[in-house]
Amino acid sequence: MDLDLSGRSALVTGGGKGIGAAICRELSEMGARVVINYRADQRAAEATASALGDAVAFGADVGDPEQVAKMVAETGPFDVVVNNAGMLRDRLLLRMSVDDWDQVLRTDLSAAFHVTKACVPQMLRSRWGRIVNISSIVGLGGNPGQANYAAAKAGLIGLTKSVAKELGSRNITCNAVAPGYVHTELTKSSITEEQIAELVKLTPLRRQGTAAEIAAAVAFLCSPSAAFITGEVLVVDGGLAA
């Protein structure tokens, strides 16, 4: 299996911690030069970059196309893009504000559009590229209290399939990874221990996932060995959605 990304450059949005940091570690171990995007937690991003050696942390709000353009101009071009940045504002529909909706769609969906659009021209010139969008099983089946998050993650799947069809002829693949429940700082703050126990009970593998397991799936889709896979949604959930 060819997992070598030597000589390639990779951008991981929201890469400072959690699943993003695990993805950065995998891509770096495969030989890629990694740029770790962060919005607020500079310390975590710089710590991750320092641990990897040949990596750079860059602060930018990827929901803002001007900041994205500046980031790509200063740190790109990129052969590999992982749209991982995300946020939660969980509320039942009748209690969800317009701002709750807008901010989650901006960060979890629009940001992937801005970043992909900014990075694709170089991929087209080199006729090689890997784009991976981090969706969720919530985007496949919905979830009470997460109408905004579910809509954004479902939108990422539609974006993935459309981009795959547009760019496939130029040897650029675009896929999505849809994690189930993974223990991270973000998810831990939005779910109770009782809810975690119930999810584990419903998961055939009877445990939570890890950031490293999601990162391994992303790394494969970014590798030369995944050259004939595009437009797909790889569910990594321990069988929860089955």
Side-chain angles (χ1 to χ4, degrees):
M1 184 178 294
D2 186 358
L3 301 178
D4 186 15
L5 289 177
S6 298
R8 302 291 187 185
S9 294
L11 171 64
V12 181
T13 67
K17 52 191 176 183
I19 291 173
I23 293 169
C24 290
R25 284 191 289 272
E26 285 281 350
L27 297 179
S28 179
E29 289 175 4
M30 293 163 70
R33 178 187 71 90
V34 180
V35 173
I36 303 167
N37 159 259
Y38 68 92
R39 183 178 62 178
D41 198 338
Q42 181 178 357
R43 180 178 297 179
E46 290 182 346
T48 300
S50 178
L52 299 181
D54 186 20
V56 175
F58 193 96
D61 179 355
V62 287
D64 180 345
E66 293 184 1
Q67 291 189 45
V68 169
K70 181 175 185 293
M71 175 176 64
V72 173
E74 294 186 12
T75 63
F78 297 105
D79 307 290
V80 174
V81 172
V82 181
N83 289 304
N84 170 73
M87 67 178 295
L88 295 169
R89 282 199 183 178
D90 295 353
R91 286 178 178 79
L92 293 174
L93 180 65
L94 294 179
R95 296 179 181 175
M96 186 175 291
S97 70
V98 171
D99 189 59
D100 292 333
W101 175 270
D102 288 345
Q103 289 303 316
V104 170
L105 268 291
R106 180 180 187 271
T107 302
D108 292 43
L109 178 58
S110 295
F113 163 74
H114 299 319
V115 171
T116 301
K117 184 176 180 181
C119 294
V120 158
Q122 171 58 30
M123 295 181 183
L124 290 171
R125 284 190 287 271
S126 64
R127 300 185 71 85
W128 196 96
R130 298 285 187 270
I131 303 164
V132 179
N133 297 319
I134 306 303
S135 181
S136 167
I137 60 167
V138 174
L140 295 170
N143 200 39
Q146 291 190 308
N148 49 4
Y149 184 74
K153 294 302 186 180
L156 275 179
I157 292 171
L159 176 66
T160 296
K161 291 180 178 293
S162 296
V163 170
K165 291 179 178 180
E166 286 189 25
L167 303 180
S169 64
R170 299 297 184 92
N171 199 32
I172 300 168
T173 67
C174 184
N175 294 287
V177 171
Y181 181 74
V182 177
H183 184 75
T184 66
E185 182 179 323
L186 179 64
T187 55
K188 185 179 179 181
S189 66
S190 66
I191 192 168
T192 67
E193 291 296 327
E194 292 76 15
Q195 289 171 318
I196 293 172
E198 185 62 27
L199 283 170
V200 168
K201 187 186 301 183
L202 294 171
T203 301
L205 291 183
R206 294 296 190 272
R207 65 175 178 84
Q208 305 170 44
T210 67
E213 289 169 325
I214 306 305
V218 173
F220 170 68
L221 291 173
C222 291
S223 75
S225 286
F228 202 55
I229 302 172
T230 195
E232 292 300 317
V233 181
L234 177 55
V235 178
V236 186
D237 70 344
L240 180 59

